[in-house]
Amino acid sequence: KLRRLARKRERRTIQQRRLTVPRRRPAAMGRPLRVVIAGGGLAGNVLLRQLRRFGPELLHVRAFERRPFELASPPGLNVLLNHNGCAALADTDPELMAAIRAVGFEVRNWSARTMAGDVLYHLEDVVRDGRADEPCLVARWDRIHAATRCDDLVEYGAAVERVDDVAAAGGGGGGGGG
């Protein structure tokens, strides 16, 4: 119990040290920073969800997925979101965590092993010892992907072939890449 309280206290301290980004762009910075994400998979969509919080006046964010819309969430293997991933996602995007919980199921008896089969840890031990507040979650890849999708910010059927640095090419102010 003491470990759990210490972890919560440590988590609060870490949250207090996070940098705060201004919601409005200072006039001196000019136009919004342009951000391009190559890929509309799980990582690309989770990043899109986080970056869209800054608003269009600060960031202009787009993702480009080479697969067409109809093929963007093919069925696939199960994805395991371990207890650390669940805790991080619950802290940063509780709405997304709830959506993933709705399409997945909890796993309370799971082991991490080396390639040789040696046990690194058992989830039951981690939870019992207070090193984890959350169980793991398992869901099909296509269901997690569907829960994370930000279709309004993803251009399907378009691969990123090259990104030019507009500022370095003399295109000037505020823009990052193209």
Side-chain angles (χ1 to χ4, degrees):
K1 210 170 194 179
L2 291 175
R3 283 185 185 169
R4 190 172 291 168
L5 290 173
R7 281 189 70 230
K8 286 183 181 178
R9 195 175 314 122
E10 180 182 329
R11 194 179 297 152
R12 261 189 249 119
T13 303
I14 290 169
Q15 287 175 346
Q16 290 169 355
R17 282 190 256 152
R18 286 184 182 159
L19 295 175
T20 304
V21 177
R23 295 298 286 167
R24 280 183 275 142
R25 206 170 164 76
M29 293 179 79
R31 64 185 180 182
L33 181 65
R34 294 170 61 197
V35 178
V36 172
I37 299 171
L42 295 177
N45 277 300
V46 170
L47 181 58
L48 274 172
R49 290 177 65 91
Q50 297 302 310
L51 292 177
R52 80 182 324 170
R53 294 177 177 184
F54 293 109
E57 64 280 346
L58 186 62
L59 293 176
H60 174 75
V61 185
R62 295 289 295 167
F64 297 89
E65 171 57 48
R66 65 179 166 76
R67 293 175 294 182
F69 179 81
E70 302 78 28
L71 301 176
S73 292
L77 299 174
N78 286 335
V79 174
L80 173 77
L81 188 59
N82 75 9
H83 59 281
N84 291 330
C86 288
L89 196 52
D91 284 348
T92 58
D93 196 338
E95 180 183 305
L96 179 56
M97 188 68 226
I100 292 174
R101 273 188 206 286
V103 298
F105 59 92
E106 291 185 357
V107 176
R108 296 183 180 277
N109 187 8
W110 176 79
S111 298
R113 298 176 183 265
T114 65
M115 293 295 286
D118 300 323
V119 176
L120 296 172
Y121 67 86
H122 290 290
L123 180 62
E124 289 175 325
D125 298 338
V126 173
V127 172
R128 184 188 62 240
D129 295 345
R131 293 179 282 160
D133 297 329
E134 305 256 354
C136 297
L137 287 174
V138 172
R140 282 186 14 199
W141 187 92
D142 58 325
R143 291 186 178 162
I144 292 178
H145 186 247
T148 65
R149 283 173 58 161
C150 302
D151 290 337
D152 58 320
L153 298 176
V154 178
E155 188 171 326
Y156 292 96
V160 174
E161 294 178 8
R162 190 177 93 210
V163 176
D164 295 325
D165 186 344
V166 176

